[in-house]
Amino acid sequence: MEFVEIRDQTLARNYILQGLWFARAVPLTPVSVRATLEWCFEVASGGHALPPIAFVADVGGLVFGTDRSSLERHSSRVTEWLPTLIRSYEDHVLGKLYADWTFERATDAIRRYSGYERVKGLAYTIQQIRQRSGFGGVELAPAIIRGLLQSSGENLLADGYESLTRDGPHPVFQQQLEHLIQAFRKSAEVLGIEDLIALEQRTALADMGQYVAHRQILTTTARIEAELPTRPVRPLAGRKEVPTRIHDEDQYPVGGYSSIATRGSIESLLHSQLAYMEPQES
């Protein structure tokens, strides 16, 4: 994982606003811009690195109902910048999200949330995808995103396009997008089974102590199940019962009312009966 820290407020602002224009699976509207910034703020305020803004916008668009045809509708917005890299992003990142069964199951779980829970659930999903795939991100102050939320969506889009036209794509954005594509090409499922259970059982929304305890239980259970054989042990062919010698001690239990019998070994007698068998002293 490679992390980049952006301390300059102007550079961080341009990085965020330019990234909005490279989103492929979500339409660029004031509503979608504000929603993307809210998702980014939730990720950054949790102390986590922020993936490319386009990736955050696309994940949110796919989770909350953007259909697959939107990928074609919005694919020609910024073709003059990074065309080869953006095509690779569509093929290896978005294509994987469309086909991955764990992402589809996580989507079903998040859609059952309401209100602020949706924002938290999406931020958790993005963070787990980032960790599982092994790509880094950008560390910046959440206050920068909070300041952007005070502006209108139209102005933010205009500022981002102006920055692209004047300065070209942000070098950090290009670097992070390349790392994201490489990480997705090497990864298997984007989420683990413990991540899905946390979303479905809503422990992903709980406080850190409860979440960590629940995740440790799930992780330990998964490790134990991984050591077990995938198929049950088959019985031996032609297996038959074989009679064995039964001891009297096994046939008659020792102690208790049920041990009283007229036959059996000496161990079958009660301790009180043994007392009467001792010789009388004269």
Side-chain angles (χ1 to χ4, degrees):
M1 295 186 184
E2 295 189 12
F3 298 92
V4 178
E5 183 178 4
I6 302 179
R7 297 185 178 182
D8 186 84
Q9 184 175 358
T10 303
L11 293 178
R13 190 174 186 275
N14 292 336
Y15 172 80
I16 296 173
L17 297 182
Q18 287 187 12
L20 295 171
W21 281 93
F22 290 95
R24 318 309 291 168
V26 60
L28 279 179
T29 63
V31 176
S32 65
V33 167
R34 182 170 184 82
T36 301
L37 293 178
E38 290 177 352
W39 303 331
C40 294
F41 178 76
E42 184 66 25
V43 174
S45 61
H48 306 300
L50 195 63
I53 310 302
F55 177 74
V56 177
D58 288 335
V59 171
L62 296 178
V63 168
F64 296 126
T66 303
D67 57 4
R68 184 176 303 202
S69 61
S70 65
L71 180 62
E72 297 297 332
R73 268 201 317 270
H74 307 291
S75 60
S76 60
R77 288 182 302 208
V78 286
T79 55
E80 62 268 29
W81 293 295
L82 310 177
T84 304
L85 189 62
I86 294 302
R87 178 58 64 182
S88 298
Y89 169 73
E90 293 176 352
D91 294 340
H92 299 290
V93 178
L94 294 184
K96 190 177 187 65
L97 291 179
Y98 278 125
D100 192 274
W101 69 272
T102 61
F103 183 75
E104 182 178 0
R105 183 170 163 183
T107 298
D108 295 336
I110 298 175
R111 287 179 180 176
R112 293 193 292 268
Y113 295 173
S114 60
Y116 179 65
E117 291 181 347
R118 287 193 159 199
V119 179
K120 273 191 91 172
L122 181 65
Y124 172 82
T125 302
I126 292 174
Q127 171 62 11
Q128 297 308 120
I129 291 176
R130 188 189 64 79
Q131 288 187 350
R132 185 173 178 86
S133 300
F135 64 90
V138 173
E139 297 176 349
L140 47 83
I144 298 176
I145 306 176
R146 187 188 295 113
L148 293 176
L149 287 170
Q150 306 302 322
S151 303
S152 63
E154 294 88 346
N155 294 335
L156 295 177
L157 287 175
D159 293 345
Y161 189 82
E162 181 183 357
S163 175
L164 278 170
T165 306
R166 182 183 64 250
D167 305 325
H170 200 291
V172 176
F173 172 79
Q174 182 176 353
Q175 178 189 24
Q176 291 296 314
L177 196 61
E178 291 175 352
H179 294 167
L180 174 64
I181 296 171
Q182 294 175 3
F184 261 70
R185 294 182 65 179
K186 298 177 182 178
S187 63
E189 288 84 4
V190 297
L191 291 170
I193 187 63
E194 60 274 10
D195 302 323
L196 301 178
I197 295 177
L199 287 170
E200 293 170 347
Q201 298 183 359
R202 294 177 178 264
T203 55
L205 309 176
D207 58 351
M208 184 57 64
Q210 181 180 356
Y211 167 73
V212 171
H214 184 263
R215 189 172 183 85
Q216 288 177 346
I217 294 174
L218 295 178
T219 304
T220 304
T221 303
R223 290 179 179 177
I224 294 176
E225 292 179 348
E227 298 295 332
L228 298 176
T230 56
R231 297 181 179 179
V233 180
R234 298 178 59 183
L236 297 177
R239 184 174 181 179
K240 299 180 180 180
E241 295 183 357
V242 179
T244 57
R245 180 174 178 269
I246 301 177
H247 296 281
D248 292 338
E249 293 83 356
D250 298 331
Q251 187 174 5
Y252 299 100
V254 179
Y257 181 79
S258 61
S259 296
I260 300 177
T262 57
R263 60 194 181 97
S265 62
I266 191 66
E267 288 81 1
S268 300
L269 299 178
L270 296 174
H271 298 290
S272 58
Q273 293 174 314
L274 294 175
Y276 289 102
M277 294 178 62
E278 297 179 357
Q280 298 290 336
E281 297 181 359
S282 56

